[in-house]
Amino acid sequence: MATYAGGTAVKRGYYIDARTFELVSIQQDGGILPRGAGMRWLRVPTLLVIAMAPALGGLFVVTLPFVGFGVVVCEIAKRLAPGAKVSAREIAATVAPAWVPGEAHLAGAPAKDEPAPATSDEEVDALAREIEAKRSPKS
């Protein structure tokens, strides 16, 4: 296939830019192709254009609903995203555990009526004698 640069006078027919897939119809001999940076035009046979028309129309009819639904969903998501971000942050702060490194969470809370631990040496010595007496066998 012959390629033509933009701005060239050509015979009537259909021409396509291979880079952008832009299709141009030249109505009479000597018509000029559109100019553009790097535009290289290919002549497309008329029978091929006639055969492609129903296929492209069918493709358009099949994909148009999906494109429409996609645009609607995208717009809804754009409008709801800021509110959802704030809500998600608030929920995460509410549900997040108040975890403090180094605390023993599995031991449970200390009982309120337990006596305070022994702090003097006499009390500790008395407790040690009591434990030793219980461990030693009675004879």
Side-chain angles (χ1 to χ4, degrees):
M1 293 183 121
T3 59
Y4 304 94
T8 306
V10 292
K11 294 181 184 179
R12 72 179 189 169
Y14 296 98
Y15 294 85
I16 188 167
D17 180 21
R19 190 171 47 98
T20 62
F21 296 108
E22 181 181 349
L23 187 67
V24 174
S25 172
I26 303 297
Q27 299 296 327
Q28 56 186 331
D29 288 345
I32 297 178
L33 291 171
R35 294 178 189 259
M39 289 186 138
R40 303 299 295 173
W41 296 93
L42 298 170
R43 184 157 199 253
V44 180
T46 306
L47 289 176
L48 181 62
V49 172
I50 292 171
M52 284 182 0
L56 292 176
L59 183 65
F60 177 74
V61 168
V62 169
T63 58
L64 185 63
F66 295 112
V67 170
F69 289 131
V71 168
V72 169
V73 168
C74 184
E75 281 300 313
I76 290 172
K78 281 182 185 177
R79 293 175 194 254
L80 293 179
K85 186 184 266 187
V86 170
S87 297
R89 190 174 293 132
E90 289 176 3
I91 290 172
T94 303
V95 186
W99 179 71
V100 179
E103 283 189 6
H105 291 279
L106 298 178
K112 301 285 186 212
D113 57 350
E114 283 186 20
T119 56
S120 69
D121 289 335
E122 294 174 6
E123 292 177 351
V124 173
D125 291 338
L127 185 58
R129 284 191 297 270
E130 183 183 337
I131 292 172
E132 189 62 38
K134 288 184 179 180
R135 286 187 182 168
S136 63
K138 293 184 181 180
S139 38

